[in-house]
């Protein structure tokens, strides 16, 4: 049987949980996640956890917040004035928006407060400040 190594295209099933046991993501019930080990498309510790596994084997990995999506940053909670919002927007707390930067990068935002003259949005990743736990099962290797 072959063992997963850097450069291999692999398929995995995974379940992601927070330290309190809350599940935030899972591939079960869907197609396995496919990626190439070492390309950097996923969190590094997630990719590296698969190295050395054979198909059918699984591993548990903890990724501290600093190695996942970083700590929450208060400077990423910003005010957007009504004049910068689409005229047909009916903002509500929890609503997801997207902002495009000057270099065409798309940043997801969450409305955290609705004000008379605008909204407060949070540009932190929704998992920022959280340690992440993954149970990863290697399904297949395509060398």
């Amino acid at each position: 049987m072959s063992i997963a190594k850097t450069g291999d295209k692999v398929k995995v099933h995974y379940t992601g949980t927070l330290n309190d046991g809350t599940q935030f993501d899972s591939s079960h019930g869907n197609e396995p996640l496919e990626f190439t080990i070492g390309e950097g498309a996923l969190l590094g510790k997630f990719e590296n956890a698969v190295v050395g596994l054979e198909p059918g084997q699984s591993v548990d990995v903890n990724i501290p917040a600093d190695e996942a999506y970083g700590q929450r940053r208060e400077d990423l909670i910003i005010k957007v004035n009504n004049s910068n919002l689409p005229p047909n927007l009916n903002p509500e707390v929890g609503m997801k928006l997207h902002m495009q930067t000057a270099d065409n990068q798309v940043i997801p935002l969450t409305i955290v407060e609705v004000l008379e003259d605008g909204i407060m949005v949070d540009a932190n990743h929704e998992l920022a400040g959280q340690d992440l736990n993954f149970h990863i099962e290697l399904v297949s290797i395509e060398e």
Side-chain angles (χ1 to χ4, degrees):
M1 219 173 221
S2 56
I3 294 174
K5 61 189 176 310
T6 301
D8 287 344
K9 183 183 281 188
V10 297
K11 290 183 180 181
V12 301
H13 271 302
Y14 68 91
T15 300
T17 58
L18 303 176
N19 285 344
D20 68 2
T22 303
Q23 182 177 307
F24 63 84
D25 197 10
S26 177
S27 66
H28 295 282
N30 297 308
E31 290 294 312
L33 174 66
E34 184 175 309
F35 65 96
T36 300
I37 300 172
E39 275 192 348
L42 304 174
L43 297 172
K45 251 188 150 170
F46 185 101
E47 288 189 12
N48 291 336
V50 179
V51 173
L53 295 181
E54 296 176 354
Q57 289 185 319
S58 61
V59 65
D60 293 312
V61 63
N62 171 271
I63 305 176
D66 288 336
E67 295 178 47
Y69 297 103
Q71 297 298 327
R72 290 192 54 74
R73 293 179 31 200
E74 290 304 313
D75 64 316
L76 293 180
I77 299 174
I78 54 175
K79 182 178 181 184
V80 179
N81 293 320
N82 284 335
S83 60
N84 294 322
L85 296 173
N88 60 347
L89 182 70
N90 184 17
E92 295 179 23
V93 172
M95 183 182 283
K96 307 285 186 199
L97 303 173
H98 292 90
M99 176 178 78
Q100 191 165 351
T101 64
D103 61 352
N104 291 326
Q105 185 179 14
V106 176
I107 299 172
L109 308 169
T110 302
I111 297 176
V112 293
E113 187 178 356
V114 178
L115 308 167
E116 244 180 70
D117 60 342
I119 57 175
M120 296 298 291
V121 295
D122 186 347
N124 283 289
H125 188 280
E126 62 186 287
L127 294 172
Q130 300 280 351
D131 294 341
L132 309 180
N133 303 294
F134 289 97
H135 178 77
I136 307 167
E137 179 189 347
L138 180 58
V139 175
S140 65
I141 302 170
E142 188 180 303
E143 296 183 39

